[in-house]
Amino acid sequence: MKLLELYEKTFGTRPVQQENLAKAGSNRQYVRLTAADGTTTLGVVTPDTDESQCFVYLARHFRSRGLPAPEILATDENAGCYIQEDFGKEALYDALGKGRAEGYGDSDKALLEKTIRLLAHVQVEGAVGLDWKRLTTPRHFSQRAAKFDLNYFKYMFLRTSDVPFDEERLEDDMQQMAAELAAMDEGHDTFLYRDFQARNVMLRDGEPCLIDFQGGQRGPVYYDVASFLMQASAHYPETLRKELAACYLEELQGLVDWAPDEEVFCERLRTFMFFRTLQVLGAYGLRGRFERKQYFLDSIPPALENLRTLIEKGAAKRYKYLEEIAMRLT
């Protein structure tokens, strides 16, 4: 196994224990490798060399900017594997289990606030000096990229549901939404994480650390905030979402002089929340309905409830037919 050869070449010995970690929504295989002294590292094997090269580049770049990304200890690009620092076994999502079941307490809220404030730094400071050409495609959140995500929803979720729809009317609304989302970029160099949510944040000594950022792009900040707040399985109450959005905006305003005021920020965020919810339903359709992965199947009902709530708040009011179809789904 090339990964074990890379480990031996790096550390001079083979690991005494190997633990294959459960796959989530990707084809990457993570292996926890334990040395004789008990220290652990994570080995990663992926058939997608472009993706692995992007992750390695971004991890090193983020660390150079003082951001909590894993240290890359060794790479074998030809074999499609690398070894990275192990942040441990506790994701933010795991730490919030009691909060999801019994209600989010002060310690949960403090963790969430710390994490969403970190997001602003990743987006702004992580973009400084970043070579955008080294990202995977699409490298920029454009109208075309937005359409990719909307089509994901249409083909992976809507078509697998029992809701009939008019293809041309739906396409008109999707084109309009994609154009409006792309226009919210405003030309600022900010890093769009794309899948910033509690399962992709690890906790080390109580501090949030970053993983799974290899799909990042240059793009508007609202997407990541929406991704974090609208994670279906997290069940954040509306009051908490508002508090966290306010914390994020406060942090962003302290970092840049172009941050929008609260009214503009909230309006744009609602649109991205609606868009992100459609996109994740596409992912749940693929991973759940087609690949039969239980976590994604279980996430469909709360995602549909999020969709209903957003529609009731007027997030889809500019896209009448898409709004109608989405309401039928719920």
Side-chain angles (χ1 to χ4, degrees), residues 162-329:
D162 295 325
V163 175
F165 62 93
D166 183 310
E167 188 93 36
E168 290 191 354
R169 292 179 67 191
L170 182 64
E171 183 66 19
D172 287 343
D173 275 7
M174 287 170 55
Q175 290 281 11
Q176 179 188 343
M177 175 182 252
E180 292 179 0
L181 290 169
M184 294 181 196
D185 186 343
E186 299 179 318
H188 303 299
D189 278 340
T190 49
F191 180 77
L192 194 166
Y193 205 106
R194 273 188 62 82
D195 199 17
F196 193 79
Q197 41 106 347
R199 285 182 174 272
N200 288 339
V201 176
M202 303 302 294
L203 294 179
R204 181 179 58 181
D205 300 326
E207 295 297 318
C209 299
L210 311 170
I211 61 170
D212 264 10
F213 40 70
Q214 61 280 337
Q217 305 173 348
R218 177 190 169 281
V221 298
Y222 313 99
Y223 189 121
D224 289 333
V225 183
S227 298
F228 189 73
L229 297 181
M230 298 309 293
Q231 182 182 356
S233 59
H235 301 287
Y236 300 132
E238 183 62 22
T239 53
L240 180 56
R241 284 183 180 139
K242 289 181 179 178
E243 291 173 12
L244 293 173
C247 288
Y248 169 84
L249 180 57
E250 179 182 69
E251 197 73 16
L252 183 67
Q253 289 172 336
L255 289 172
V256 298
D257 58 7
W258 49 257
D261 62 30
E262 183 179 2
E263 182 178 356
V264 171
F265 175 79
C266 290
E267 180 181 356
R268 292 176 177 175
L269 180 60
R270 276 193 297 271
T271 304
F272 266 95
M273 284 177 165
F274 180 62
F275 167 72
R276 173 63 176 177
T277 303
L278 296 179
Q279 190 269 334
V280 298
L281 281 169
Y284 296 163
L286 174 62
R287 305 300 183 188
R289 291 176 173 176
F290 287 97
E291 297 180 0
R292 308 307 299 173
K293 294 181 178 179
Q294 194 60 46
Y295 166 76
F296 296 98
L297 285 169
D298 293 342
S299 295
I300 290 175
L304 289 174
E305 185 57 35
N306 284 345
L307 194 64
R308 174 184 287 275
T309 300
L310 287 165
I311 291 169
E312 290 173 348
K313 290 167 60 178
K317 62 185 178 181
R318 292 194 300 279
Y319 321 109
K320 292 300 183 184
Y321 188 67
L322 181 55
E323 179 183 50
E324 178 186 329
I325 294 300
M327 184 56 80
R328 285 190 214 163
L329 283 172

Side-chain angles (χ1 to χ4, degrees), residues 7-8 11-18 32-41:
Y7 186 96
E8 185 172 15
F11 300 104
T13 184
R14 293 264 175 144
V16 298
Q17 184 177 341
Q18 307 165 46
R32 178 164 282 114
L33 304 165
T34 305
D37 63 1
T39 59
T40 62
T41 54

